[in-house]
Amino acid sequence: MQADLVLRNARVSRQPHPIDIAIRAGRIVDMRPQIRCDAVEEEDLDGKFAFSGFVDSHIHLDKACILERCSICAGTLEEAVRETAKAKAGFSEEDVHDRASAIVRQAIVHGTNRMRTFVEIDPRAGMRSFEAIKRVRERFAFAIDIQICAFAQEGLTQEPETEAMLDEALATGADMIGGCPYTDPRPEEHIRRIFALAKKHDVDVDFHLDFSLDPAKTDLPAVVEATRANGYGGRVVIGHVTNLSTLNPADRSAIGREIATAGIALTVLPATDLFLMGRNHLSNAPRGIAPAHLLLADGVEAAIATNNVLNPFTPFGDASLVRMANLYANVMQLSRDKDIDQVFEMVGKRAAAIMRAEHGLSVGGAADIVVLDAVDQRSAIRTVASPLAGWKAGRKTFVRPRAHILEHGGLAGR
């Protein structure tokens, strides 16, 4: 056998001992211990953990890194929407391109090689952000697959121009459509129109939904009904749904089963949900994060994602999904191996399933590989393990050498 590259001594899921991975023409052609073949190049991974890479199923590249342009006083969702709306009116295509590129570079070196980004399209943003993100998608295609979701952040029914602009975006390069019923004065009509555009262009749908702690304030039933009426099971994702965090287990599980039966997936955004929720609680503030790991047991496909970085929605972040997964595990007080495995899946193969993307190391599969400074997925989450290197279709895309302490004789401990 001939190979372009052999990665030796890699630890992978469900294998008790290190194996070798042989790659040819961008695909994995063999996975087993001590492969013997003619290889153009070999690299020893020294027993580090290799997997298909992190998958960020919900991020906003267009409005990242705008903290200095906004004010954060109340720290509420309403303020974040208002401040971002004011800022984006001044976005230029080059501005969005440069800020988004900086975040994509961070994501790549943090081991992410698949991403779904929302792009706000409305009379304030125009098509500038959309054109910029299309350029970013093309520029970094060597290292990361980016899906673009044309997004109506500030409503739809009150601005007919937005609907026409979304239609244009879907005809000129957007991969899917996103809605935000809670910002629209007519949420059910908003949902209906988003589905109509989705069906017209045969694309999937991703809603920001029920972003509050009031279980009685919900647009979820309308989304479930529209998903069924349009035959869109398996093609709809809902993000946030923070009011699920307030329900007792029986009620939450019943809703989970309904979501699963309808074929709707869920993405939770820990950093944003923690920052914005519970602001009116002076003590014992709720976490406000939907318990995705519990909803998995009800059949819901779920993921953990970044959402916003350095803006009024989330004034922190570095596009690291292993850090986000660790944050979720901490907040949800998880410790069992099974739970940690599920958390890892929610920034990997489950997130890929939501995006309907290929994921997993297997013979015949894509040679999309990330190596972490860990021995397995559990230690990766528990220690927030650093990515060391990555390959996309068998070509190396980044390297981050391990840190070394420089000891100087007996002075090291002084």
Side-chain angles (χ1 to χ4, degrees), residues 18-337:
I19 64 167
D20 298 340
I21 304 171
I23 298 165
R24 184 173 66 241
R27 313 295 290 186
I28 296 173
V29 293
D30 201 359
M31 293 179 63
R32 56 188 171 86
Q34 299 179 336
I35 292 174
R36 294 185 179 182
C37 67
D38 292 327
V40 176
E41 183 182 359
E42 295 190 2
E43 186 162 342
D44 191 342
L45 301 186
D46 193 29
K48 299 304 179 184
F49 180 70
F51 74 119
S52 284
F54 293 115
V55 181
D56 204 332
S57 60
H58 186 130
I59 193 170
H60 293 262
L61 293 176
D62 57 333
K63 57 190 183 187
C65 305
I66 59 169
L67 270 181
E68 73 283 356
R69 309 179 197 185
C70 304
S71 297
I72 303 178
C73 298
T76 62
L77 173 61
E78 294 76 18
E79 179 185 63
V81 172
R82 183 176 64 252
E83 285 294 310
T84 303
K86 289 191 295 185
K88 73 181 176 183
F91 289 177
S92 69
E93 183 176 326
E94 287 305 314
D95 167 46
V96 174
H97 175 272
D98 291 347
R99 287 185 290 101
S101 294
I103 295 301
V104 170
R105 289 191 190 95
Q106 283 189 316
I108 291 168
V109 299
H110 283 309
T112 296
N113 55 25
R114 294 165 184 82
M115 174 183 287
R116 172 179 293 175
T117 183
F118 293 79
V119 180
E120 295 183 23
I121 297 176
D122 55 39
R124 285 154 298 287
M127 305 297 281
R128 300 184 302 277
S129 295
F130 176 54
E131 293 301 325
I133 298 302
K134 284 195 291 185
R135 288 169 53 197
V136 172
R137 176 175 63 183
E138 181 178 359
R139 177 180 183 179
F140 293 98
F142 72 94
I144 187 168
D145 298 326
I146 298 178
Q147 290 182 357
I148 297 177
C149 182
F151 180 46
Q153 167 73 80
E154 298 176 57
L156 185 62
T157 65
Q158 77 276 38
E159 287 186 332
E161 307 96 320
T162 297
E163 188 169 0
M165 294 170 73
L166 292 170
D167 193 15
E168 179 185 348
L170 290 167
T172 57
D175 299 296
M176 57 186 304
I177 189 165
C180 193
Y182 59 77
T183 62
D184 197 302
R186 300 166 63 196
E188 290 193 10
E189 178 63 13
H190 179 108
I191 292 165
R192 188 194 69 77
R193 294 187 188 186
I194 291 293
F195 270 101
L197 284 169
K199 292 196 73 173
K200 176 181 177 180
H201 294 275
D202 190 24
V203 296
D204 293 358
V205 179
D206 201 323
F207 285 105
H208 290 47
L209 203 69
D210 291 4
F211 201 0
S212 76
L213 297 178
D214 183 358
K217 185 180 179 182
T218 176
D219 296 308
L220 179 56
V223 171
V224 170
E225 180 181 352
T227 300
R228 289 173 172 155
N230 287 283
Y232 249 56
R235 303 189 67 178
V236 178
V237 184
I238 52 178
H240 297 294
V241 203
T242 49
N243 58 8
L244 291 177
S245 69
T246 69
L247 298 176
N248 65 59
D251 289 344
R252 183 193 63 237
S253 187
I255 292 175
R257 290 192 296 272
E258 185 176 16
I259 294 171
T261 301
I264 297 172
L266 168 70
T267 303
V268 298
L269 299 315
T272 301
D273 297 348
L274 280 169
F275 181 73
L276 293 177
M277 291 295 98
R279 286 286 178 168
N280 61 337
H281 290 254
L282 299 180
S283 63
N284 199 26
R287 295 180 175 91
I289 301 175
H293 64 290
L294 298 177
L295 291 162
L296 293 176
D298 297 312
V300 179
E301 190 64 89
I304 298 165
T306 297
N307 196 39
N308 283 287
V309 180
L310 300 175
N311 68 17
F313 293 87
T314 320
F316 310 101
D318 59 358
S320 167
L321 279 176
V322 70
R323 185 181 65 82
M324 196 63 64
N326 175 277
L327 174 64
Y328 178 91
N330 266 282
V331 171
M332 292 299 179
Q333 301 173 324
L334 304 181
S335 61
R336 298 183 305 171
D337 288 348

